[in-house]
């Protein structure tokens, strides 16, 4: 099952889970998730799922679903993750110290029912994932499966909905609300401390295969920017994405990226070299004037996850760079 059928191969490799597997743990798993009345029922895109008792062995199939689980004190027995963290147990630096007991098994590629069944889960969380109905049906024979909320797109579930869905499945809805409030307060504090962001335009962009993907607010990276007070440049906002989470731009269309700031997710040497060598990009005023921020790998990861755990990490690293860039922009740009 292709997880993002609409993605070009280069962007697919840059965004999705290509992580390495480890062996399944021998211990009986983490302590019970508990905390609320069971059974609980969670509504989602494929109907509803009832979890009969507090789960003790949770598999996180969504690429960032481990973060809210860990924030709620539950270490998954298996997880999917972005490829950049395949050598670190599938977790970003903002989440690694939350692991309790045996580290999770890292799952790669499309969901493998046999591999997942071998972990003996009593709950499968696939909120930030591209699960389709047939795969959901197969996995539901292994354990209760919680998919993305109805009305959301694959890999496009906002932080609040992701956290609330997972917290409800664990019987910890109130704790989930507290985590959402903390993340929203962190963004609010950043906006209050940086009023220069208000009304400014900015885009997060990923270079791939000689082209660029400008993320809209249907994506975690785009929502990170809007949560800070930025809006998309008009040229990007007007591009028809076909319901996708990004606008694909060839060289002749790079002028639409011009705004007050540009966040370029070129954290790999080859990507950075391609960006630096692109003569068309270098002529776009936001780049020519030194208002392009190039992120490192962990800032890219934290922004891409945009979870209750990664938000403070991303804000600490990115906000000062955005502020410096915006202050170079002409008034009313």
């Amino acid at each position: 099952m292709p997880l993002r059928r609409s993605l070009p191969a280069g962007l697919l490799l840059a965004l999705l889970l290509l992580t390495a597997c480890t062996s399944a743990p021998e211990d009986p798993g983490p302590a019970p998730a508990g905390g609320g009345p069971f059974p609980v029922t969670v509504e989602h895109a494929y109907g509803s799922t009832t979890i009969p008792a507090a789960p003790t062995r949770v598999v996180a199939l969504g690429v960032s679903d481990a973060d809210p689980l860990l924030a709620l004190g539950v270490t998954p027995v298996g997880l999917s993750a972005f490829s950049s963290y395949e050598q670190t147990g599938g977790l970003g630096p903002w989440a690694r110290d939350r692991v309790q007991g045996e580290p999770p098994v890292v799952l790669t590629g499309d969901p493998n029912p046999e591999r997942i069944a071998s972990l003996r889960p009593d709950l499968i969380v696939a909120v930030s994932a591209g699960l389709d109905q047939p795969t959901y049906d197969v996995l539901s024979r292994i354990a209760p499966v919680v998919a993305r909320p109805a009305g959301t797109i694959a890999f496009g579930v906002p932080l609040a909905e992701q956290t609330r869905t997972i917290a409800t499945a664990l019987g910890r809805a109130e704790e989930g609300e507290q985590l959402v409030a903390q993340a929203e307060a962190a963004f609010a504090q950043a906006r209050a401390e940086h009023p220069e962001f208000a009304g400014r335009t900015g885009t997060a962009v990923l270079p791939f295969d000689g082209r660029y993907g400008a993320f809209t607010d249907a994506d975690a990276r785009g929502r990170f920017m809007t949560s800070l007070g930025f809006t998309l440049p008009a040229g990007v906002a007007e591009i028809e994405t076909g319901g996708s989470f990004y606008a694909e731009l060839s060289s002749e269309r790079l002028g639409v990226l011009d705004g007050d700031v540009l966040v370029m997710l070129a954290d790999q040497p080859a990507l950075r070299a391609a960006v630096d060598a692109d003569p068309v990009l270098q002529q776009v005023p936001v780049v020519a004037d030194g208002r392009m921020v190039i992120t490192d790998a962990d800032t890219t990861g934290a922004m891409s996850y945009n979870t209750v755990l990664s938000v403070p990490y991303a804000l600490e690293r990115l906000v000062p760079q955005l502020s410096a860039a915006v202050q170079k922009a002409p008034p009313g740009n």
Side-chain angles (χ1 to χ4, degrees):
M1 175 196 66
L3 293 183
R4 284 192 177 183
R5 294 181 176 83
S6 63
L7 283 181
L11 188 55
L12 183 66
L13 291 174
L15 293 178
L16 296 184
L17 38 139
L18 299 173
T19 45
C21 287
T22 61
S23 60
E26 297 296 329
D27 70 289
F38 284 89
V40 297
T41 298
V42 180
E43 306 290 334
H44 53 74
Y46 301 124
S48 64
T49 295
T50 297
I51 299 99
T56 64
R57 298 184 64 84
V58 183
V59 168
L61 285 187
V63 291
S64 62
D65 288 346
D67 277 14
L69 285 169
L70 289 165
L72 290 162
V74 176
T75 298
V77 295
L79 59 81
S80 299
F82 283 5
S83 59
S84 56
Y85 294 118
E86 62 182 3
Q87 302 301 320
T88 59
L91 298 170
W94 54 85
R96 291 170 198 154
D97 63 356
R98 301 283 185 132
V99 173
Q100 303 176 41
E102 290 289 333
V105 171
V106 180
L107 304 171
T108 64
D110 293 344
N112 183 317
E114 292 77 16
R115 179 63 166 154
I116 294 168
S118 73
L119 298 175
R120 296 175 285 116
D122 50 17
L123 176 64
I124 299 171
V125 174
V127 177
S128 179
L131 211 62
D132 60 13
Q133 181 78 59
T135 305
Y136 169 81
D137 292 339
V138 170
L139 295 179
S140 293
R141 301 187 189 113
I142 300 171
V145 180
V146 174
R148 67 183 183 273
T152 62
I153 65 173
F155 301 96
V157 180
L159 178 154
E161 291 183 73
Q162 177 195 38
T163 305
R164 287 171 177 142
T165 299
I166 292 174
T168 299
L170 297 178
R172 296 183 170 183
E174 290 186 7
E175 293 177 56
E177 289 297 334
Q178 293 172 4
L179 291 172
V180 170
Q182 289 169 9
E184 292 176 346
F187 277 119
Q189 180 178 347
R191 292 193 302 269
E193 292 176 352
H194 295 275
E196 67 271 20
F197 294 167
R200 294 291 190 165
T201 56
T203 316
V205 177
L206 179 73
F208 66 98
D209 296 345
R211 289 163 289 168
Y212 298 85
F215 294 108
T216 70
D217 59 6
D219 179 85
R221 286 143 286 209
R223 283 194 296 272
F224 189 92
M225 296 295 288
T226 57
S227 295
L228 285 173
F230 291 95
T231 58
L232 283 174
V236 175
E238 292 168 0
I239 294 174
E240 176 56 53
T241 64
S244 181
F245 53 92
Y246 73 103
E248 182 177 326
L249 304 174
S250 55
S251 290
E252 60 268 19
R253 304 180 73 187
L254 292 184
V256 300
L257 295 177
D258 192 31
D260 294 304
V261 68
L262 175 64
V263 177
M264 186 63 69
L265 307 176
D267 52 81
Q268 302 299 317
L271 295 178
R272 177 64 183 267
V275 166
D276 290 342
D278 188 332
V280 178
L281 179 68
Q282 297 301 320
Q283 293 177 20
V284 178
V286 69
V287 179
D289 295 346
R291 290 179 276 119
M292 179 173 68
V293 174
I294 298 181
T295 57
D296 61 30
D298 284 333
T299 304
T300 296
M303 191 178 181
S304 300
Y305 275 53
N306 198 6
T307 65
V308 290
L309 287 185
S310 75
V311 161
Y313 186 95
L315 289 173
E316 180 181 1
R317 296 165 75 95
L318 188 59
V319 165
Q321 298 179 75
L322 290 172
S323 179
V326 167
Q327 290 176 34
K328 298 177 184 178
N333 188 43

